[in-house]
Amino acid sequence: MADIDAARAEGLAAVTAATEAEDLARVESGLFGRKSTLGQIKRAFGSLAPELRAPAGRALNEAQQELRAAYDRAADAIAARARREQLQREWQDLTETPPGPKRGHLHLVTQTTERLEDVFVGMGFTVSEGPQAETDWYNFEALNLPAAHPARSMWDTLYLDLGERTELGDGEGGEASNVLLRTHTSPVQIRVMEVQPPPIYTICPGRVFRRDTADASHMPVFHQIEGLVVDRGISFTDLAGTLEEFTSAYFGKSISSRLRPSYFPFTEPSAEFDITCVLCEGSGCQTCQRTGWIELGGCGMVHPNVLANCGIDFEEWTGFAFGFGIDRLALMRHGIDDLRDMYTNDIRFLSQF
């Protein structure tokens, strides 16, 4: 027993003294090899009286297990230290940090888009995207806007002359001559409903295009975010509650929303979505024309024809949709007077946000 205790103490001291992997490797054979002290003690068990072999064997096993655990801990510590030293030697700073005010950041529109996505994702929505070049079917006809529909005059459309058929997925008859730059992100809703069975809770942010002349409140290229919900038992009150929840979450508790009757071909009933003026908080100012309200976008219950065009049974499922301009929302939130300021690339303006 004294020899076992002495060998254990000697082995633990050797493990503690080994600070490098090479040192520890040299110690290993002296701890666990056949010629080790404990190995020699084990071979001498044959000369012990039978009644002494069991306690001696237990003591020997305990000593070997203690030495093995100490050895493994030391090996792990040496390996971890070597790894840290290697990482420190090989570390390279790849961060590009221009000095002073020249350091870049996300554009105001991108910041606004990500903030809106965060709000709606927090409310349980997913984010969906689609192509910017669309067929007439997805942009108009599937949304209850056939070729002769008078409401098409509401959109100044930019058509593309491709010269050959498109690979966009023509739906029920989109031809190459009817390919256009999408005028809203509603086509993404159609694509979602075609491939995803209800229930659906999604938002569709993205860039849209119209034949508009650039001025303080219009651009030919701008950004929209639209939302779509399709589920059993969805009603107009669900739409109003969702928009009110969004308004409070994005603008703050002092800002509320209201709905006014309106008309859109793809929703019935339809409404305009107003919010409390973010500048005067409802007291009336020049921006809101003394009304205390600012129009933000449109909304309504998804038209049964739109659901049918996507293969959804409108007797079983109902839904609502809403949409508004991201650029205009950024203007309202930050008190910007001219939409064109966001696209002139003036560093003095962009560096403020």
Side-chain angles (χ1 to χ4, degrees):
M1 292 296 187
D3 292 341
I4 292 175
D5 291 339
R8 175 170 49 190
E10 181 182 355
L12 291 175
V15 169
T16 303
T19 58
E20 301 295 337
E22 295 80 4
D23 300 334
L24 198 62
R26 287 192 293 268
V27 168
E28 183 178 15
S29 61
L31 296 177
F32 311 112
R34 292 178 57 85
K35 296 182 179 181
S36 66
T37 304
L38 290 178
Q40 294 174 359
I41 293 175
K42 184 176 182 180
R43 287 198 299 272
F45 276 13
S47 62
L48 291 177
E51 66 274 11
L52 299 178
R53 292 176 185 174
R58 286 195 297 270
L60 180 65
N61 287 335
E62 291 174 358
Q64 289 177 326
Q65 291 174 3
E66 184 176 353
L67 288 175
R68 174 57 68 180
Y71 179 89
D72 291 342
R73 288 194 299 270
D76 291 342
I78 292 174
R81 189 189 67 206
R83 178 62 175 165
R84 289 194 300 270
E85 293 175 350
Q86 179 185 8
L87 292 175
Q88 185 64 30
R89 290 193 306 269
E90 297 177 357
W91 179 82
Q92 297 182 19
D93 185 1
L94 303 179
T95 305
E96 294 184 5
T97 310
K102 294 182 180 180
R103 183 173 182 176
H105 60 273
L106 294 177
H107 190 274
L108 178 57
V109 172
T110 305
Q111 295 180 38
T112 304
T113 302
E114 292 185 352
R115 190 175 293 116
L116 290 168
E117 290 177 354
D118 289 343
V119 171
F120 282 110
V121 168
M123 295 169 62
F125 286 73
T126 61
V127 180
S128 301
E129 296 181 343
Q132 297 179 12
E134 277 289 8
T135 62
D136 185 88
W137 165 257
Y138 286 106
N139 197 81
F140 289 126
E141 292 196 29
L143 290 161
N144 204 34
L145 280 159
H149 200 291
R152 284 214 187 191
S153 61
M154 297 167 58
W155 287 268
D156 294 320
T157 309
L158 294 165
Y159 286 90
L160 301 177
D161 183 9
L162 301 182
E164 57 185 14
R165 290 191 60 81
T166 177
E167 298 295 333
L168 289 173
D170 293 331
E172 296 186 5
E175 298 293 334
S177 59
N178 288 332
V179 176
L180 49 91
L181 295 177
R182 65 183 183 189
T183 58
H184 45 187
T185 55
S186 299
V188 182
Q189 300 181 20
I190 300 298
R191 291 181 177 273
V192 171
M193 287 189 286
E194 281 185 340
V195 300
Q196 178 180 335
I200 298 171
Y201 293 80
T202 191
I203 56 170
C204 311
R207 183 181 290 110
V208 298
F209 310 82
R210 295 184 187 175
R211 197 189 301 266
D212 285 340
T213 301
D215 58 29
S217 57
H218 297 84
M219 292 291 288
V221 181
F222 56 101
H223 302 80
Q224 280 188 342
I225 185 169
E226 301 191 19
L228 172 69
V229 170
V230 180
D231 206 341
R232 291 186 177 90
I234 296 296
S235 66
F236 203 84
T237 56
D238 297 310
L239 168 61
T242 299
L243 293 178
E244 179 65 22
E245 182 68 20
F246 157 73
T247 302
S248 299
Y250 186 78
F251 292 100
K253 297 296 183 181
S254 61
I255 306 299
S256 58
S257 64
R258 72 175 184 182
L259 301 179
R260 292 181 291 106
S262 185
Y263 167 76
F264 299 104
F266 28 79
T267 53
E268 180 60 36
S270 304
E272 295 285 354
F273 169 37
D274 297 341
I275 65 169
T276 309
C277 178
V278 296
L279 299 180
C280 66
E281 295 187 354
S283 61
C285 65
Q286 183 176 356
T287 301
C288 62
Q289 299 179 348
R290 310 298 174 185
T291 64
W293 297 92
I294 296 179
E295 178 186 332
L296 191 61
C299 59
M301 301 299 294
V302 180
H303 199 289
N305 291 348
V306 176
L307 295 175
N309 287 337
C310 299
I312 296 177
D313 184 0
F314 56 81
E315 296 289 346
E316 180 181 1
W317 305 95
T318 56
F320 63 76
F322 57 86
F324 45 84
I326 297 176
D327 309 65
R328 187 176 183 188
L329 200 64
L331 261 65
M332 294 165 49
R333 184 181 179 93
H334 297 282
I336 302 171
D337 297 325
D338 195 322
L339 185 63
R340 292 168 293 188
D341 289 340
M342 292 198 295
Y343 299 101
T344 55
N345 293 328
D346 189 332
I347 191 64
R348 296 170 300 176
F349 173 82
L350 296 176
S351 61
Q352 300 177 57
F353 307 100

